[in-house]
Amino acid sequence: MKKRIILGSASPRRRELLSQIGVEFEVRVSDKEEIYKSSIPEEIVKELSLMKAENVASDLLENIADGSIKDTVVIGADTIVVLDDEILGKPSDEEDAVCMLTRLQGREHWVYTGVAVLDFGPDGEKTVINYPVGTKVYVNAMTEDEIRAYVATKDPLDKAGAYGIQGRFAAYIDRIDGDYYNVVGLPVSRVYRTLRECGGQ
C-alpha cells in the first residue's frame, strides 16, 4: 500500500511539478513562523524546509485522536536565490524587481532548494530526510528596457530573485549547471527517488 503524501507548500509551481511526475498528494500549509539560524545558504534551505514539514506534521497531529501519524510522508521545500553571498528574496515592488534583475543580468548566481521529507511508518515512527540541492544559473546581459518590460508583466513580483526560469525570463537564461527543476522550485527527480525509498511511490 502506498503511503499518503502531503506537500507542505503553497507554491503552485511545486504542485505542478509533483503532479507532472505522477505523484498523488494533498496540500497542507502551516501558517506558523519560520526563522532560520544558519548563515550558509545550503543550511538555510535545509532549516526552512524542515520547519515547513515539521509545522505541517504538527498541525496534523493536533487533529488526530491518538496523536500519531501513520503511513504518511510530509514534504517541505524552500528555495532561495543567492548572489555574492546575499539572499535575494521576493521583490517588495516593481522597482525592487528592477534592481534585483539589474544585479543578476550578465552574471551567474546560485539557486538552492532545501527538501525535507518526514517519513512516518506504520507504527508512527518518524524518519527525517533533509538535503539541499544547488543549481548555478547564468543570465545573459540585459538592457534596461528589457528588464523593465519583463517587470511590467508582473511575473517577477512573487518569485525569489525576481524571475521565473520557466516563463518569459527563459529568453535571458544563458545556461545552467545542475537541475533545471530545482530552479523552478523542486528537484523532482531527487524527490521522486526519496519517495520511492519511503514507500510513497
Side-chain angles (χ1 to χ4, degrees):
M1 183 184 74
K2 288 184 181 179
K3 291 183 177 178
R4 176 190 185 193
I5 297 174
I6 297 173
L7 174 63
S9 171
S11 165
R13 289 166 289 279
R14 293 193 183 110
R15 292 202 298 267
E16 288 168 10
L17 288 173
L18 270 187
S19 296
Q20 182 179 316
I21 62 170
V23 175
E24 295 180 8
F25 62 95
E26 306 166 34
V27 174
R28 296 287 185 97
V29 182
S30 175
D31 58 4
K32 292 177 181 173
E33 190 175 12
E34 297 151 5
I35 301 172
Y36 61 84
K37 297 177 181 177
S38 181
S39 59
I40 301 167
E42 294 98 319
E43 293 301 319
I44 290 170
V45 291
K46 282 179 64 179
E47 276 189 60
L48 289 171
S49 61
L50 185 57
M51 274 187 274
K52 286 182 177 181
E54 292 283 13
N55 287 342
V56 168
S58 174
D59 289 345
L60 285 170
L61 284 167
E62 289 174 7
N63 296 305
I64 295 176
D66 66 356
S68 66
I69 306 174
K70 298 173 183 177
D71 292 317
T72 298
V73 175
V74 179
I75 305 168
D78 194 86
T79 302
I80 60 173
V81 175
V82 180
L83 177 70
D84 297 332
D85 296 323
E86 179 186 345
I87 296 173
L88 303 183
K90 295 177 182 178
S92 56
D93 54 30
E94 291 191 14
E95 279 307 308
D96 192 27
V98 169
C99 289
M100 284 189 191
L101 292 170
T102 300
R103 292 180 62 193
L104 290 173
Q105 63 86 31
R107 300 190 58 194
E108 71 273 2
H109 62 275
W110 284 89
V111 177
Y112 295 99
T113 296
V115 176
V117 175
L118 308 182
D119 178 21
F120 293 89
D123 56 357
E125 187 175 335
K126 178 178 71 176
T127 300
V128 179
I129 304 162
N130 190 200
Y131 52 81
V133 177
T135 303
K136 199 172 189 179
V137 181
Y138 298 78
V139 180
N140 284 325
M142 300 171 68
T143 66
E144 184 179 349
D145 285 347
E146 286 173 327
I147 290 171
R148 291 193 175 277
Y150 174 60
V151 172
T153 68
K154 311 293 186 187
D155 185 57
L157 300 183
D158 68 337
K159 296 176 177 65
Y163 76 89
I165 194 171
Q166 73 279 19
R168 186 168 168 177
F169 198 74
Y172 308 112
I173 299 294
D174 177 35
R175 66 189 189 279
I176 67 170
D177 291 339
D179 185 341
Y180 165 80
Y181 295 105
N182 187 55
V183 185
V184 179
L186 196 68
V188 286
S189 178
R190 178 86 179 266
V191 170
Y192 180 80
R193 294 197 307 272
T194 303
L195 290 175
R196 194 170 56 191
E197 290 165 7
C198 295
Q201 288 301 295

